Amino acid sequence: MSAAASDITRQALHFVETTGYADLSPEALRIGRRCIVDALGLYLAGSREHSLEILIADALEQGGRADAPLPATGARRVPAALAARIWGTAGHAHDWDDTQVSHDPAHIYGLLTHPTIPPLTAALVMAERLGIRDGKTVMLAFQLGFEVECKISEWMTPRHYRRGHHTSGTVGTFGACVAAAHLLGLSGDRLAHALGMAASFAAGIRCNFGTMTKPLHVGRACENGVTAALLAARGFDADPAALDGPWGFFSVMGEGFDAEKAKEGFGQRLTIETPGISIKPYPSGILTHQSMDAMLKLVLDHDLKPEQVERLRFFAGKNIIEPIRYPIARNHLQAKFSMPALLAMIVLCRRASHHEFEDAFVAGEAMQDLQARTDVINDPEIDARGYDLIRSRIEVETKDGRTLVQWADERYRGGPLNPISDADLDGKFRMCAEGVLDSAAQDEILALARSFDTGADLARLMALMTGAAQPVYSAA
């Protein structure tokens, strides 16, 4: 089936209009709550980035309706679309948000989308605008947007990403649009027109990886999805089948789609449950994590000290080397896409949290020196094994003449086959919230997130996330 003859837009509309909270499996809800815990921490960590200071200043200068608050900024409120831009950018600021999984070898590992931040941001912001406090309603909006976003990403040909589009910016727009439109009660033509606008608004190109604009792609996806829903609610129109046709989203942005996969439809197998999502252990591109774990294992197994290292050699395929593109990172944003920087960080610190991703540290003498002594080598034998999994090896030449070797574990830590525990997820949240909220506020947010759709006080949750409320809950 060609995109010209497809009816994917109609299928998406039917799924959004007919799916209720009761249709979500207990497992989908359990994973959804984990995604929310993860995202709440990332909003807090991102709120302290300089890029967020710029966006918040811009939003406050514009003024307008007091629709929604901002992360960790107190009681100030801004229009919904601007709030969505800020929350969405904060959620992706550290490139630490979850990643969609695919079991299809045609999809190069890690090149799908970051699924949670766009629909969750839109759902939280729109719930604030509309005064919706029912967790089940907001959870459903989030899950609807998550599913539509992920299926579009999965069905689209990998050419979309390979040619330079940033999927989290493009496809994320649909996730945000669906979540916002659902809370606005849009259906039929109004919902179709919202998706039509989202198709035109979708944007983001990979040349901006390693800059402030990369996380802004996700912020704009959230902003544009909310804007599309709000305009559709007012009667603004668009093509009602914008995913389909020779000039539709799949044809123009993805050079087509996988017709066999698309036969499955939306919601028959929720992506959040199967094949699932990966919760990231490190605040860098997902293609780097297995190799960072391998470096950490080598350092710990051999108690390797930085002063013992003569040279690092990193062997990998094009699927890692092409997008992880900086030979030497000069700042923390470039470091997220630089294997020499990430490996050096592990050797020097034995960890890589957002606290290590600081410009002064990355540009410091120790990091710059070890990066300069790191070789990134394209290994044709690794290339020949395919790109469905991340495969790499590290060789460390020591000053006393040893050569230490470590292959990356192909089972991604944080993914469905090797998930991080709830305790580790809580630890990641606390690491993200460190320096933003005190431990009592952290305790209360975690408790509210774990009961998000089973009676949590969403007004209280948002007040804590913005810093406008004092915590009263204590885990002790």
Side-chain angles (χ1 to χ4, degrees), residues 130 319 352 369 389 400 403 424 465:
L130 300 174
N319 58 325
D369 173 63
L389 297 172
D400 62 5
T403 299
D424 286 343
M465 287 293 297

Side-chain angles (χ1 to χ4, degrees), residues 126-262:
M126 193 56 64
E128 283 289 314
R129 175 187 166 107
L130 300 174
I132 296 171
R133 300 303 184 196
D134 176 53
K136 288 183 170 64
T137 300
V138 181
M139 173 66 85
L140 175 60
F142 161 57
Q143 295 251 0
L144 293 174
F146 190 109
E147 171 70 358
V148 170
E149 173 187 3
C150 285
K151 285 297 194 289
I152 292 173
S153 176
E154 175 71 20
W155 297 342
M156 192 159 49
T157 67
R159 178 67 178 153
H160 177 74
Y161 192 99
R162 293 303 301 276
R163 70 191 294 187
H165 294 293
H166 179 203
T167 322
S168 300
T170 57
V171 180
T173 309
F174 293 101
C177 175
V178 167
H182 177 74
L183 292 182
L184 283 166
L186 302 189
S187 62
D189 289 344
R190 290 298 99 214
L191 179 56
H193 294 317
L195 289 176
M197 279 181 271
S200 274
F201 294 165
I205 54 177
R206 288 168 59 200
C207 72
N208 277 310
F209 280 22
T211 74
M212 289 182 183
T213 299
K214 200 263 190 179
L216 181 59
H217 290 168
V218 177
R220 288 285 287 172
C222 299
E223 176 186 7
N224 287 335
V226 167
T227 298
L230 288 171
L231 289 176
R234 290 183 180 273
F236 212 94
D237 69 8
D239 189 293
L243 290 171
D244 308 287
W247 295 336
F249 181 82
F250 280 110
S251 292
V252 174
M253 299 288 277
E255 297 183 0
F257 68 99
D258 189 318
E260 280 302 309
K261 284 185 179 180

Side-chain angles (χ1 to χ4, degrees), residues 91-153:
H92 193 58
H94 291 287
D95 209 323
W96 214 352
D97 44 329
D98 56 23
T99 304
Q100 178 186 357
V101 171
S102 174
H103 290 165
D104 177 6
H107 273 289
I108 295 173
Y109 190 100
L111 306 191
L112 286 166
T113 194
H114 295 275
T116 285
I117 295 297
L120 181 62
T121 299
L124 292 174
V125 166
M126 193 56 64
E128 283 289 314
R129 175 187 166 107
L130 300 174
I132 296 171
R133 300 303 184 196
D134 176 53
K136 288 183 170 64
T137 300
V138 181
M139 173 66 85
L140 175 60
F142 161 57
Q143 295 251 0
L144 293 174
F146 190 109
E147 171 70 358
V148 170
E149 173 187 3
C150 285
K151 285 297 194 289
I152 292 173
S153 176

Side-chain angles (χ1 to χ4, degrees), residues 43-126:
Y43 290 137
L44 294 172
S47 72
R48 290 300 184 254
E49 287 292 289
H50 180 52
S51 58
L52 267 292
E53 295 175 356
I54 295 171
L55 293 179
I56 289 169
D58 178 67
L60 293 174
E61 184 177 284
Q62 290 188 52
R65 286 175 50 107
D67 286 333
L70 302 174
T73 59
R76 293 175 293 185
R77 299 171 75 91
V78 299
L82 291 177
R85 178 200 295 177
I86 291 165
W87 284 92
T89 304
H92 193 58
H94 291 287
D95 209 323
W96 214 352
D97 44 329
D98 56 23
T99 304
Q100 178 186 357
V101 171
S102 174
H103 290 165
D104 177 6
H107 273 289
I108 295 173
Y109 190 100
L111 306 191
L112 286 166
T113 194
H114 295 275
T116 285
I117 295 297
L120 181 62
T121 299
L124 292 174
V125 166
M126 193 56 64

